[in-house]
Amino acid sequence: MTIPGFILRNALRNKRRLGLTVLSVALSLFLFTTLQTALHELTQPPTSEDAALRIVVRNKVSLANVLPAKYRSRLERMPGVRHVMKLTWFGGIYKDKANFFPQFAVDSEQLFPVFSEAEIDAKQIQDFLKEKNACVVGNKTMERFGWKIGDRITLQGTLWPCDPELIIRGVYRKGIDMTNLFFHHEYFDELMGNKGLVGTYWIRAENADSVSDLIERIDRTFANSDAETKTETERAFQLGFVSMFGNIKVLLGSISTVIVFTMILVTASTMSMAIRERSREIAILKAVGFDGWQIFGLILAESFGLAVAGGVIGCGGAAFLYRNIDIYSLSHGVLLKLDVTPAILAAGMTVAAILGIVSCLMPAYTSIQTTVVAGLKELD
Amino acid sequence: MPEPIVQIRELTKFYRHGEIEVTALDCVSLDIHAGEFVALMGPSGSGKSTLLHIIAGLDQATTGDCIVRGVNVGNLSETELADWRNTHVGFVFQTFNLIPVLTAFENVELPLLLAKLSAGERREHVTAALELVGLGDRSKHLPRQMSGGQEQRVAIARALVTDPTLVVADEPTGNLDAHSAQEVLTLLQTLNRQDGKTIILVTHDPKAAAFAQRTIHLEKGQLLNGNGQSL
């Protein structure tokens, strides 16, 4: 027998309690991992080199306020600008409110130059450009509704008083959010009576070095106008967009804290019970020569092992599960994917390790403080 | 005559329960020589277990000295005491106190986990200790698979496995039937006579004390002489 073997025997002596405790830690860490992953997905959209070149220009007042169509030509003339695209959030309903997916009216010719990382067949781009009421859709939304190229769909306007009738002419994959639908801004303008309204302008800069300067110049150009602009990188814009849902970070962070705190209580309670019912054995261990620190080491190792086992099952289980299920369908399009990153796994395992240490401190301290004689008296 | 292995000098022990101070040992002086089998006898509350605990380094005296093989046990720190107990004292308790999830072999091996011995050396020591108590064939049995007498013999093997200076036994037959008690006491006597082990036995049973070479009587924390008077 070895000391680790002895610790293992002690841990396995009440298999049902051990199983339930590991399971409770595992479930809690599964939830923790899920929340952290969801938070990551919502607040840290995937970035690429192309995304770093994109700039979003919106009305300084709010996203709900529009910009004039005439800004486009002024933006195009600015040094450092390669492409300018109008992009207006349509936010319509497809058959039912539950069928939510993002829809945008865009400058069709600029769509794929601006979002150059999107993969789409060249022929489909041509078909999309040729037809006024054509649209391109991300493959996730195509799969979700079982659509195929050539299908006709009607979006019911909610923000805008029009109902575009669209024909699907292309499907894109990868690069950008694969749940989006893009249709011609010209068609949107026509339906709206050519009022020259634009939600946002999306700019692709010449190079990454010019981005910060360009942002500054754009806002300076439109300062003191009827529609002052707020220009920011795509990433900053997306984070700002997410924050419109409320302080998700604080909400999910609070839930995670409650989970961790509850876990500590559960594990500490289990360790206290396990140690209390072993108090006579701990006295014997001390009598045969184990000192306080060695006893503490035994208890710590058991508690740590228990928590880490729960962590491996919980965090590893979450990583495995989310890699193998279609979270997009299950979340009805709210989440594109749940990618448990190494950083999140490390955070989960760190929580498990801290849990293992913290939960045994009090029972271990009590057992160390108890003298051998006091422990032996409990035998009688 | 060789120097005593245990020298107790004017040992006192007070316990405080709130405002009340209880005297467990009152100026006890005592010598025990190597190879002796001593029985500490007395009624409940006489201080015999307290004296045993102090000799074994499980408790500290309030005043006085307890010197075992030249070491004043009262001067050792908690960590030093733990190490000292591992090397010099073997314990046998009334309730056996084997670890229920460990086999007889592993229970006996437990004190050796702290010694710097290889697995092979540990195996040799444990096997020898189990053979000594007549349980060589039960090494893989768990405590629940053994009788009370067998469990106590495993506890004796655990006490002997480090080859300690002292074996202390606190009411070792208190939980055993008459036959098993006889076996255990005979075993302790044999270990004393054949292997020269120094054994201190705490008991309130005169029949058990009869197995010892010398009986020391305590009452109200004081040693009594042969006439039942305080020394």
Side-chain angles (χ1 to χ4, degrees), chain A residues 11 87 101 107 114-115 160 162 184 295 350:
Chain A
L87 184 144
F101 60 96
D107 279 333
V114 170
F115 294 115
W160 311 98
C162 61
H184 294 257
I295 301 282
T350 304

Side-chain angles (χ1 to χ4, degrees), chain A residues 83-262:
Chain A
H83 299 286
V84 179
M85 177 182 75
K86 290 187 278 190
L87 184 144
T88 301
W89 170 262
F90 183 72
I93 294 170
Y94 172 65
K95 290 185 179 176
D96 189 279
K97 278 183 182 174
N99 295 335
F100 171 82
F101 60 96
Q103 306 128 21
F104 303 95
V106 293
D107 279 333
S108 46
E109 288 187 358
Q110 300 299 323
L111 177 62
F112 292 105
V114 170
F115 294 115
S116 55
E117 64 268 50
E119 288 180 9
I120 183 168
D121 187 78
K123 169 79 170 53
Q124 291 180 5
I125 295 178
Q126 290 307 314
D127 291 345
F128 169 57
L129 295 176
K130 273 192 286 190
E131 235 167 330
K132 186 179 68 181
N133 61 340
C135 67
V136 288
V137 185
N139 64 325
K140 288 280 183 187
T141 297
M142 291 292 283
E143 286 165 17
R144 180 180 172 193
F145 297 113
W147 291 340
K148 52 190 185 301
I149 289 177
D151 280 358
R152 291 173 177 273
I153 57 170
T154 301
L155 299 178
Q156 184 190 334
T158 52
L159 302 170
W160 311 98
C162 61
D163 300 332
E165 292 174 1
L166 306 169
I167 305 171
I168 300 169
R169 288 302 182 201
V171 182
Y172 70 88
R173 291 172 179 78
K174 294 185 181 173
I176 53 175
D177 187 342
M178 287 166 282
T179 65
N180 293 345
L181 178 149
F182 298 102
F183 64 100
H184 294 257
H185 214 288
E186 281 178 18
Y187 179 45
F188 171 72
D189 289 337
E190 186 184 304
L191 291 173
M192 290 296 295
N194 289 313
K195 290 176 182 168
L197 305 174
V198 177
T200 54
Y201 287 99
W202 284 57
I203 291 168
R204 186 182 170 93
E206 291 280 0
N207 56 63
D209 295 338
S210 63
V211 167
S212 58
D213 176 56
L214 193 53
I215 286 171
E216 205 174 299
R217 278 189 284 128
I218 291 170
D219 285 342
R220 206 167 49 229
T221 301
F222 298 108
N224 301 316
S225 66
D226 289 344
E228 289 191 276
T229 58
K230 180 178 179 184
T231 308
E232 54 200 348
T233 59
E234 178 186 86
R235 185 178 170 75
F237 173 76
Q238 285 171 327
L239 289 176
F241 195 75
V242 167
S243 71
M244 287 169 67
F245 295 113
N247 202 337
I248 290 173
K249 230 174 185 170
V250 169
L251 178 68
L252 295 187
S254 305
I255 297 171
S256 297
T257 307
V258 170
I259 290 168
V260 171
F261 188 69
T262 309

Side-chain angles (χ1 to χ4, degrees), chain B residues 31-85:
Chain B
D31 286 344
I32 295 171
H33 289 87
E36 266 198 292
F37 186 173
V38 177
L40 294 177
M41 267 197 80
S44 181
S46 61
K48 56 188 188 301
S49 287
T50 303
L51 180 59
L52 187 80
H53 290 156
I54 292 171
I55 293 171
L58 297 179
D59 202 358
Q60 299 277 358
T62 308
T63 61
D65 296 316
C66 172
I67 298 161
V68 180
R69 229 184 211 174
V71 175
N72 192 331
V73 179
N75 292 340
L76 299 177
S77 69
E78 278 298 319
T79 306
E80 287 169 334
L81 262 179
D83 188 45
W84 181 84
R85 282 196 298 267

